[in-house]
Amino acid sequence: MIVIVGASGAVGTPTIRHLARMGASVRALTSNPRSAERLTGLGVSETVIGDFRSGADVARALSGAESVLLVSPRFTEDEAEIGIRAVEAAKAEGVGHFVYSSAFHPQMSRMDHHATKLRIEEAVIESGLAFTIVQPSMFMQNVRVEWREVVENGVYPRPYSPHRKMSVIDTEDLGEAIARVLTDPALRGGTYELCSGDSPTHAEMAAIFSEVLGREVTAQKRSLEDWRSWAAERGWANWSIDAYARMCGHYDAHGYPGDNALALRAVLGREPTGYRAFAARFAAEMG
C-alpha cells in the first residue's frame, strides 16, 4: 500500500495517474468527500477523510503503509510542522520507504517556502527511515493561472522579470518520476534535483505560445501590488502573500537557475518533456 499525504494538487494528481497505470494500490488522505470522489476516479484504491494537521488522522491514513509520499502545502505558515508530523507518524508506523516532494534548491533560505521544506528534509534524513527526496523545479503548468490572459489578451503576466531564466519541469514527467521512485527499489536512498533541461525566460515561454496559438503573446511584469490585491481577494493569508512576494523578489534578481536534466532523465529512462512540446500539448488540452 502506497499512501499519499497531499494527493489532490499539482504533484499528487499526476503521480496517482501513473501509479494507477502501474497497478499500484494507493491510499490518499484527503480533506472532504468531494475530493475523495475525484481521487477515486483517478485510480486511488482507498481514501481516508481527515486533516493533515491532525496527528490522529495522519496516523490513521498511514496505518499499514509500505510506502508514503508526502507533498507538503506550499506557502503555508505551518508547512514544516505538517511535514514533520507526517514523518513522525511514518516512524511510528514503521513505514518501509518515505518519499518527500520538496523544492528545487531548498537551501535558498531567503524564500520562506524553501526554508520550510529544508526543515522537513532534515527531519526525513534524520528519521531513520529508508527515504528518497525529490526536488522539482518550477512547474510548466503554472501558466494555467494566467491562461485566460494569454488566450484572450495575448499577455502572459508574472510579478517578476520576464527576462530571467527559469528552470522548469512538466508535472506529468514529475508524476511519472515519483511513481517510479515509489515502485522501483533501485531508486531508493537518493535526493534528486528534477528539471527538464529547459530554462526559458517567461518572454521565451510567451514566444513559444505565440507559435503554438498562431497569435502574438507577450510576457509582462505584473505589478507586485496588483498581485497582492489579487491574492488578498482570493483569501490568501498575509504570511502566504508575504512569502510569495519574497519569492518574486528573489526570482526578479536571480531567476531560478540550474538546468541539468541528468537526474530526471535517469529516473524516467527517457528524455524529459521540453517546454515547446509541453506548450503544444497544454494548448490542445485547454481547447
Side-chain angles (χ1 to χ4, degrees):
M1 175 63 71
I2 296 169
V3 176
I4 302 180
V5 178
S8 299
V11 178
T13 296
T15 301
I16 289 167
R17 283 200 297 265
H18 285 285
L19 286 171
R21 290 170 193 156
M22 295 174 177
S25 295
V26 179
R27 179 191 300 153
L29 174 63
T30 187
S31 59
N32 59 72
R34 179 176 296 179
S35 176
E37 184 178 353
R38 174 180 169 272
L39 292 169
T40 299
L42 290 172
V44 168
S45 312
E46 181 183 343
T47 57
V48 173
I49 296 175
D51 184 353
F52 53 35
R53 290 184 170 90
S54 163
D57 288 351
V58 174
R60 184 162 49 93
L62 268 55
S63 177
E66 167 57 27
S67 298
V68 172
L69 167 63
L70 169 64
V71 186
S72 54
R74 296 186 302 164
F75 302 110
T76 303
E77 188 170 6
D78 62 341
E79 178 181 359
E81 288 73 24
I82 291 167
I84 292 168
R85 185 180 298 115
V87 174
E88 292 298 323
K91 286 170 59 178
E93 189 59 35
V95 166
H97 183 209
F98 193 97
V99 178
Y100 175 47
S101 180
S102 181
F104 208 58
H105 309 330
Q107 65 269 35
M108 293 193 295
S109 59
R110 282 178 289 178
M111 291 195 283
D112 299 286
H113 67 298
H114 281 237
T116 57
K117 286 179 168 59
L118 189 59
R119 287 181 58 195
I120 299 171
E121 286 197 17
E122 289 173 343
V124 171
I125 293 167
E126 294 170 356
S127 68
L129 297 168
F131 70 87
T132 308
I133 296 170
V134 297
Q135 300 171 330
S137 58
M138 175 181 283
F139 301 158
M140 295 180 184
Q141 281 79 355
N142 285 358
V143 69
R144 188 183 303 275
V145 177
E146 290 84 15
W147 187 244
R148 185 171 181 176
E149 282 287 301
V150 170
V151 296
E152 292 186 0
N153 301 317
V155 175
Y156 188 6
R158 298 296 294 156
Y160 45 83
S161 171
H163 303 297
R164 293 291 187 185
K165 293 286 188 181
M166 312 298 291
S167 181
V168 291
I169 187 171
D170 182 351
T171 58
E172 285 300 315
D173 283 0
L174 176 58
E176 181 180 343
I178 294 175
R180 288 178 178 273
V181 164
L182 284 162
T183 56
D184 185 350
L187 296 171
R188 293 187 181 188
T191 298
Y192 304 123
E193 281 195 347
L194 301 181
C195 62
S196 65
D198 270 0
S199 54
T201 66
H202 277 79
E204 290 167 341
M205 296 177 198
I208 289 170
F209 275 111
S210 295
E211 297 176 18
V212 168
L213 298 174
R215 56 168 297 184
E216 184 177 5
V217 179
T218 304
Q220 292 182 1
K221 183 177 180 180
R222 181 181 188 179
S223 159
L224 191 55
E225 289 310 308
D226 177 63
W227 178 86
R228 281 180 175 272
S229 297
W230 175 91
E233 288 170 2
R234 284 154 181 79
W236 283 48
N238 289 336
W239 187 95
S240 305
I241 293 173
D242 289 342
Y244 192 94
R246 277 189 284 275
M247 180 196 75
C248 291
H250 199 277
Y251 285 173
D252 202 56
H254 307 289
Y256 207 9
D259 57 6
N260 191 320
L262 177 64
L264 183 57
R265 186 181 299 118
V267 173
L268 292 176
R270 61 171 174 81
E271 284 298 313
T273 304
Y275 199 86
R276 189 176 301 275
F278 157 76
R281 191 191 76 226
F282 183 82
E285 290 171 353
M286 298 298 285

